[in-house]
Amino acid sequence: MIDRYTRDEIGALWTDAARFESWRLVEVAACEELDGPTEADLEAIRGATATAEQVAEREKVLDHDVAAFVDVLSASAGQPAGRWIHYGLTSSDVLDTALAVQLRDVGTIVLAGAEQLTQALATLARAHVETLCVGRTHGVHAEPTTFGVKIAGFAAEAARNRDRLRRAFDQAAVGALSGAVGTYSATDPDFEARVLARLGLKAETISTQVVARDRLAELLQAIALAGAGLERLATEIRHLQRTEVREVQEPFRSGAQKGSSAMPHKRNPITSERITGLARVLRGNAQAATENVALWHERDISHSGAERIIVPDSTILLDYMQQLAIRLVEGLVVDPERMLANLEMTCGALFSQRVLLALVASGMSRDDAYRIVQEDAQRAWDEQTQLRSLLEARELEIDLDEVFDSSAYTAHAAAIVARLDDVVG
């Protein structure tokens, strides 16, 4: 992933140096569980190193990165200790198990961000439980809701994505040291269990030469879904920040930040738009991960090149997008007065369902009631005349004070938002 979208902490886990260090950890753990090496051998093996530059130079000769790494590490350990490095292992034993080590550490960072975002959204929702605003369907004013209820839905979704990511990282962080085609012909299952215990990993249930790729596909699908949730939040904020709406605004550093190179008045929703664009990359990567599931027989490497890109990039991007969203939510400028002003745009037409139900309850047929309310509601909107005054002229047998009581839209808001207590944690 390019530096622009990479935070230092997670980026450090995906460098070439970090990758070779995870390979080294697997090789050392395997040697520590062999019967052959002496304590002197193990001391030499533990102290052996293989830099990215050394491996790259050796790979120019061998055209095989794991073989190059093994040669460099063995040479660093010296003889006779170096002969035990990679003993009984195949490349996938190292690659897949080391990737599990990396994913475990990466998951810790990503899940911390998912938790922080969930809590930030829940805090915002609770702060605006009673803040009345327009509810929109098809982009058109529907009925009033509260901003707290609106945001509570995003908080609940964020909690689901957090939990989904936790499960996905957990099931993906498994290793295998089962040998050339998964039969343990050079070692045995107990050896695998001991090595993985040293690394703090679980074992793949049944492996071929590789850990099954449905695990990574599930992880990248969970990442893509989390990205889709972030995009949904970003899309809502982008719409609400439009000049014609302006109910919320992204954080903006007055006196420092510039919204446009040409138009000084602009304050654009650039953070939300960035989240929206990057979410598309995550969905594309998830598709590639799904394509990687079907390999030939016990192993091929058609998955390898794609994984070297999509797994680091997806985790790095999600981490970055989560941090953007946290900054967005915690610094969001909410304008309750503008929300109330927008509620008045349709001159009371938003109360149409309450008028309809009151007329039905008074004894009128639903269709007759619907036609009356539809005519007056659309007239109120078109002519900018209060719906209530149009209804008063009809002298209908309904209580208009009760019908136009906006408290009906907030009566259950607190109870709805309180459901977050059970899901957010």
Side-chain angles (χ1 to χ4, degrees), residues 133-145 150 236 239-240 242 244-245 247 342-343 345-347 349-352 370 377-378 381-382:
C133 68
V134 174
R136 298 170 175 88
T137 58
H138 304 276
V140 177
H141 287 205
E143 281 194 346
T145 182
K150 180 193 290 282
E236 181 72 19
H239 281 306
L240 295 181
R242 284 180 297 138
E244 296 83 359
V245 181
E247 295 181 2
N342 286 342
L343 281 166
M345 288 178 62
T346 56
C347 298
L350 303 187
F351 288 86
S352 66
Y370 191 98
Q378 293 185 358
W381 195 343
D382 293 341

Side-chain angles (χ1 to χ4, degrees), residues 6 122 187 246 257 348:
T6 304
T187 57
R246 209 162 179 263
Q257 185 174 342

Side-chain angles (χ1 to χ4, degrees), residues 45-126:
I45 290 168
R46 293 183 187 113
T49 60
T51 68
E53 293 75 19
Q54 289 172 319
V55 174
E57 193 63 30
R58 183 62 177 158
E59 189 179 357
K60 291 177 183 178
V61 178
L62 302 180
D63 200 22
H64 191 297
D65 57 353
V66 176
F69 172 80
V70 170
D71 279 4
V72 172
L73 196 66
S74 297
S76 177
Q79 291 302 328
R83 65 195 174 110
W84 297 110
I85 292 174
H86 209 65
Y87 185 89
L89 303 182
T90 190
S91 296
S92 293
D93 290 337
V94 177
L95 293 173
D96 289 356
T97 304
L99 179 59
V101 171
Q102 289 180 284
L103 285 175
R104 180 190 58 202
D105 296 340
V106 165
T108 300
I109 296 173
V110 172
L111 290 171
E115 174 66 18
Q116 188 179 354
L117 174 62
T118 301
Q119 296 299 333
L121 284 165
T123 297
L124 184 64
R126 289 163 179 150

Side-chain angles (χ1 to χ4, degrees), residues 19-292:
R19 177 160 54 95
F20 292 135
E21 173 60 16
S22 67
W23 293 8
R24 189 191 71 82
L25 290 174
V26 174
E27 293 283 5
V28 170
C31 288
E32 289 174 329
E33 291 300 333
L34 290 173
D35 292 331
T38 66
E39 277 303 315
D41 290 336
L42 290 176
E43 184 176 350
I45 290 168
R46 293 183 187 113
T49 60
T51 68
E53 293 75 19
Q54 289 172 319
V55 174
E57 193 63 30
R58 183 62 177 158
E59 189 179 357
K60 291 177 183 178
V61 178
L62 302 180
D63 200 22
H64 191 297
D65 57 353
V66 176
F69 172 80
V70 170
D71 279 4
V72 172
L73 196 66
S74 297
S76 177
Q79 291 302 328
R83 65 195 174 110
W84 297 110
I85 292 174
H86 209 65
Y87 185 89
L89 303 182
T90 190
S91 296
S92 293
D93 290 337
V94 177
L95 293 173
D96 289 356
T97 304
L99 179 59
V101 171
Q102 289 180 284
L103 285 175
R104 180 190 58 202
D105 296 340
V106 165
T108 300
I109 296 173
V110 172
L111 290 171
E115 174 66 18
Q116 188 179 354
L117 174 62
T118 301
Q119 296 299 333
L121 284 165
T123 297
L124 184 64
R126 289 163 179 150
H128 289 279
V129 173
E130 302 290 337
T131 303
L132 204 64
C133 68
V134 174
R136 298 170 175 88
T137 58
H138 304 276
V140 177
H141 287 205
E143 281 194 346
T145 182
T146 79
F147 192 64
V149 169
K150 180 193 290 282
I151 296 300
F154 290 103
E157 181 179 21
R160 290 193 298 275
N161 280 316
R162 174 201 62 192
D163 296 343
R164 190 179 291 120
L165 285 166
R166 182 180 295 115
R167 293 191 299 269
F169 272 107
D170 182 64
Q171 63 80 38
V174 299
L177 292 99
S178 53
V181 292
T183 60
Y184 303 97
S185 61
T187 57
D188 58 61
D190 187 57
F191 168 78
E192 175 187 67
R194 295 195 311 272
V195 174
L196 294 179
R198 283 183 176 274
L199 297 168
L201 297 175
K202 294 177 293 185
E204 171 63 287
T205 309
I206 299 173
S207 64
T208 56
Q209 187 166 308
V210 297
V211 169
R213 260 42 202 175
D214 63 288
R215 292 183 180 276
L216 287 178
E218 181 176 343
L219 175 59
L220 265 66
Q221 292 289 349
I223 288 173
L225 276 172
L230 292 171
E231 183 181 9
R232 188 172 81 91
L233 172 65
T235 300
E236 181 72 19
I237 292 172
R238 290 170 64 198
H239 281 306
L240 295 181
Q241 185 163 331
R242 284 180 297 138
T243 306
E244 296 83 359
V245 181
R246 209 162 179 263
E247 295 181 2
V248 305
Q249 292 184 77
E250 288 190 2
F252 190 89
R253 298 190 306 278
S254 297
Q257 185 174 342
K258 291 184 178 181
S260 166
S261 63
M263 297 168 285
H265 74 280
K266 296 297 290 296
R267 295 172 68 169
N268 301 325
I270 58 170
T271 302
S272 299
E273 290 171 341
R274 194 178 308 153
I275 290 171
T276 299
L278 294 177
R280 299 165 186 165
V281 177
L282 296 182
R283 290 194 287 275
N285 288 353
Q287 175 65 28
T290 304
E291 299 290 340
N292 276 347

